[in-house]
Amino acid sequence: EDWRRHKADEEANSVPVKVLRNAKWGTAPSYDIKVGELVLLEKDCLVPADVVLLHSTNTDSVTYIETSNLDGEANLKLRHPPAGFCSNFDLQGVQQVASFQAVVECENPNQKLYQFDGWMRTDVRSLSFTRNSFFGTSS
């Protein structure tokens, strides 16, 4: 049983992910993602780590995620960028994305499965976000 779990973890942690490094989108295995790196998630991909949604290409800025591997529920969950953030973030301009800097603070791990609070500070503003802007390995 332990061996099977080890092999499943190894496979899950080796999924290729698009990561922004040196102002270019490249591919890296999910185990190589560092805290603070920007990742590009595409339709039907697995979420490789806990992430804060900064932008969605959907016209309403909403992203839908499936969490059946976490909570057994097959219905899609809605996620959206922090209020007031998405409209100023141009995903097409890789130089703008590469120069983006923010400090993200999150609450400490706890037992609250359906609540999450975090804060993001940039040089021009401070935004709060909830579970609706956060998803990943514990959504």
Side-chain angles (χ1 to χ4, degrees):
E1 178 66 28
D2 287 344
W3 178 251
R4 280 189 287 240
R5 177 63 184 190
H6 168 73
K7 293 308 280 180
D9 286 348
E10 187 176 288
E11 184 177 324
N13 291 331
S14 298
V15 172
V17 179
K18 289 189 178 180
V19 182
L20 185 67
R21 293 183 175 156
N22 301 316
K24 294 180 183 168
W25 290 110
T27 304
S30 54
Y31 66 79
D32 197 32
I33 297 172
K34 308 288 188 273
V35 172
E37 286 189 313
L38 296 177
V39 297
L40 180 64
L41 302 177
E42 297 177 308
K43 183 178 180 178
D44 297 328
C45 73
L46 293 174
V47 178
D50 293 343
V51 297
V52 176
L53 179 63
L54 299 179
H55 180 81
S56 172
T57 56
N58 291 335
T59 55
D60 57 1
S61 297
V62 172
T63 296
Y64 301 89
I65 63 167
E66 181 186 328
T67 60
S68 60
N69 61 327
L70 300 171
D71 59 14
E73 294 182 22
N75 58 321
L76 296 175
K77 311 280 191 309
L78 294 173
R79 296 294 185 261
H80 53 79
F85 182 77
C86 188
S87 60
N88 296 320
F89 200 73
D90 176 15
L91 186 62
Q92 301 306 314
V94 71
Q95 291 302 331
Q96 180 185 2
V97 176
S99 66
F100 175 74
Q101 292 186 7
V103 174
V104 175
E105 295 179 31
C106 301
E107 61 186 6
N108 289 328
N110 57 56
Q111 297 297 318
K112 298 181 263 180
L113 294 177
Y114 300 103
Q115 182 178 339
F116 179 84
D117 294 309
W119 305 266
M120 180 170 50
R121 288 191 313 270
T122 67
D123 56 346
V124 293
R125 72 177 118 184
S126 187
L127 302 166
S128 65
F129 59 90
T130 64
R131 186 172 85 97
N132 291 328
S133 297
F134 173 84
F135 59 94
T137 59
S138 60
S139 290

